[in-house]
Amino acid sequence: QVQLVESGGGLVQAGGSLRLSCAASGSILSISTMGWYRQAPGKQRELVATTGGLTDYANSVKGRFTISRDNARNTVYLQMNNLQPEDTAVYYCNADRVYTLDLQVHDYWGQGTQVTVSS
């Protein structure tokens, strides 16, 4: 009933920029926190950035990435600047504590979008 649709991934050269977008749709009453996670081959999924009033960034991206949110559209963005090869991963959108009209609360994930940074 709730779906997260991501866009903006792609291939860039080191030092380049990308802007990821993720929109949540469905019978949503509210979302507590939205954020981005990433997973590289052979590695565990890790936090990139989250926002729910307060923001939190992984140390590896702080100063380069910026997360923002449009609450009216249930959309979260990730502006990624000065991308490096180690940023290569599948990036997943997350919506935490999503309240729906049937009074249920669940956590949802997007399908993931590939970000590849060449050197």
Side-chain angles (χ1 to χ4, degrees):
Q1 189 171 355
V2 175
Q3 184 178 12
L4 304 184
V5 179
E6 299 162 308
S7 63
L11 173 65
V12 297
Q13 293 183 344
S17 298
L18 285 173
R19 183 177 176 86
L20 305 182
S21 299
C22 173
S25 61
S27 301
I28 299 170
L29 293 175
S30 66
I31 301 172
S32 178
T33 302
M34 299 188 74
W36 293 92
Y37 295 73
R38 68 186 181 186
Q39 186 169 21
K43 297 183 178 180
Q44 294 185 334
R45 187 173 299 185
E46 65 176 352
L47 168 74
V48 177
T50 62
T51 181
L54 301 175
T55 59
D56 187 30
Y57 293 93
N59 289 333
S60 60
V61 307
K62 191 173 184 179
R64 298 187 296 121
F65 292 8
T66 302
I67 189 170
S68 60
R69 180 176 174 181
D70 184 343
N71 291 324
R73 295 174 173 82
N74 289 322
T75 300
V76 65
Y77 306 92
L78 185 68
Q79 178 67 46
M80 304 184 294
N81 297 326
N82 192 25
L83 284 161
Q84 300 298 312
E86 54 264 35
D87 296 316
T88 296
V90 177
Y91 284 70
Y92 296 92
C93 176
N94 170 258
D96 179 64
R97 293 183 61 81
V98 180
Y99 289 76
T100 51
L101 286 176
D102 58 359
L103 304 180
Q104 297 189 60
V105 185
H106 292 104
D107 184 66
Y108 293 94
W109 292 88
Q111 65 184 26
T113 184
Q114 178 71 47
V115 172
T116 302
V117 184
S118 62
S119 60

